[in-house]
């Protein structure tokens, strides 16, 4: 599955960077070139290297509040405690280390795409990312979050960012996303059970369900596999029924999603993360 592949993420970022800056970076300078491109698309520049942690009382917090980004989180936002401001960045670091131990290539994908993480204490726990804010991830940790929860949320949002980048450089849909919320284009979500969602959001839900299921499977847990198997298949069937709304690139990703959803082939997921055949986009979708 291309959306999980670290090599494909590098290709997406290189194409995005070239489109923004006019220069084609090689791999050795891609992280820096991506940050330069991101700085031209966002109101707040990223760090020159690494990932910067922010809290709700930061410049990012002010911007997101004023611009009504992640409004679901901000509706129940509260000030972070001193303990949270100390403990949560450490949990993020531990989560990155856990992902690196789990699969170094998946961690490389996260390291490339995520430039900033804002930690928001809210009753609306979870995460957020936005197509118009590349590199930025919001996390709203729950009171009982473990390193696994931080890791899964970070990977979840990184895959969203990779899909946003893929949409920018290859195109996913044959219609503007503003039209895809129409009732006739809605599809059952893979993660919000029994909810019809706009086509693009349903597609994103299916994409991010896969790595979360795989991460839990790798440590012998079945909660998300049990919860998402049926809903993922229903979502994939709905997406497949609306293949005409996807570009060739989008059809390829839908085809790959369906292959996994109806097989639960965990080796296929692992191959997708690192396998060479997924690193370069080529349309090879059955009719």
């Amino acid at each position: 599955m291309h959306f999980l592949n670290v090599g494909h993420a590098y290709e997406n970022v290189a194409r995005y960077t070239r489109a923004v800056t006019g220069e084609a970076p090689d791999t050795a300078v891609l992280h820096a070139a991506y940050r330069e491109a991101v700085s031209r698309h966002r109101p707040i520049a990223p760090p020159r290297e690494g990932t910067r942690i922010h809290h709700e009382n930061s410049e990012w917090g002010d911007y997101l509040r004023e611009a009504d980004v992640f409004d679901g989180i901000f509706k129940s936002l509260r000030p972070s405690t001193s303990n949270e401001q100390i403990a949560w960045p450490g949990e993020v670091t531990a989560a990155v280390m856990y992902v690196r131990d789990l699969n170094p290539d998946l961690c490389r994908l996260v390291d490339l795409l995520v430039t900033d993480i804002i930690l928001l204490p809210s009753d609306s726990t979870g995460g957020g990312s936005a197509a118009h804010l590349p590199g930025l991830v919001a996390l709203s940790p729950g009171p009982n979050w473990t390193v696994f929860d931080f890791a899964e949320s970070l990977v979840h949002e990184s895959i969203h960012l990779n899909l946003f980048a893929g949409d920018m450089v290859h195109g996913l849909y044959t219609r503007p996303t503003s039209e895809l919320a129409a009732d006739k284009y809605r599809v059952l979500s893979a993660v919000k059970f029994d909810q019809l969602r706009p086509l693009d959001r349903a597609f994103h839900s299916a994409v991010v369900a896969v790595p979360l299921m795989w991460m839990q499977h790798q440590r012998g847990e079945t909660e998300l596999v049990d919860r998402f198997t049926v809903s993922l298949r229903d979502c994939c069937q709905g997406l497949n029924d609306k293949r005409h709304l996807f570009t060739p690139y989008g059809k390829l990703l839908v085809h790959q999603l369906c292959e996994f959803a109806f097989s639960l082939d965990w080796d296929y997921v692992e191959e997708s993360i690192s396998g060479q055949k997924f690193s370069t986009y080529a349309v090879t979708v059955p009719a």
Side-chain angles (χ1 to χ4, degrees), residues 49-64:
E49 59 183 24
T51 303
R52 183 177 295 154
I53 301 291
H54 311 266
H55 297 278
E56 83 287 347
N57 56 350
S58 64
E59 185 180 10
W60 264 121
D62 293 340
Y63 170 79
L64 296 172

Side-chain angles (χ1 to χ4, degrees), residues 33-218:
Y34 173 58
R35 282 159 169 72
E36 171 59 28
V38 161
S39 69
R40 303 187 189 186
H41 266 173
R42 297 186 343 192
I44 302 169
R48 295 179 63 87
E49 59 183 24
T51 303
R52 183 177 295 154
I53 301 291
H54 311 266
H55 297 278
E56 83 287 347
N57 56 350
S58 64
E59 185 180 10
W60 264 121
D62 293 340
Y63 170 79
L64 296 172
R65 187 180 296 104
E66 292 168 4
D68 291 328
V69 184
F70 311 135
D71 56 342
I73 295 175
F74 275 100
K75 283 178 181 175
S76 54
L77 187 69
R78 60 169 175 76
S80 55
T81 66
S82 58
N83 285 341
E84 288 168 342
Q85 293 211 7
I86 293 170
W88 283 352
E91 295 285 1
V92 170
T93 299
V96 172
M97 293 175 64
Y98 168 73
V99 175
R100 183 174 294 116
D101 290 341
L102 184 66
N103 188 297
D105 283 331
L106 185 59
C107 191
R108 286 175 60 209
L109 184 149
V110 174
D111 287 341
L112 173 66
L113 289 161
V114 180
T115 66
D116 297 85
I117 299 172
I118 182 166
L119 298 165
L120 302 170
S122 168
D123 293 336
S124 300
T125 59
S129 51
H132 66 290
L133 297 173
L136 177 68
V137 164
L139 296 180
S140 179
N144 299 312
W145 270 27
T146 67
V147 66
F148 303 134
D149 298 298
F150 278 91
E152 289 168 6
S153 295
L154 187 55
V155 169
H156 175 139
E157 299 307 333
S158 299
I159 300 301
H160 277 307
L161 292 177
N162 195 28
L163 201 56
F164 290 142
D167 190 17
M168 283 189 281
V169 301
H170 299 297
L172 283 168
Y173 316 106
T174 58
R175 295 179 180 273
T177 54
S178 58
E179 294 183 19
L180 298 179
D183 288 346
K184 63 181 178 179
Y185 299 142
R186 289 180 174 246
V187 171
L188 283 170
S189 170
V191 297
K192 295 188 176 182
F193 302 119
D194 299 322
Q195 288 191 30
L196 288 169
R197 302 286 287 161
L199 182 80
D200 58 317
R201 296 189 181 187
F203 178 56
H204 270 258
S205 77
V207 165
V208 298
V210 175
L212 301 186
M213 294 167 71
W214 177 80
M215 289 174 75
Q216 288 204 357
H217 173 79
Q218 291 301 100

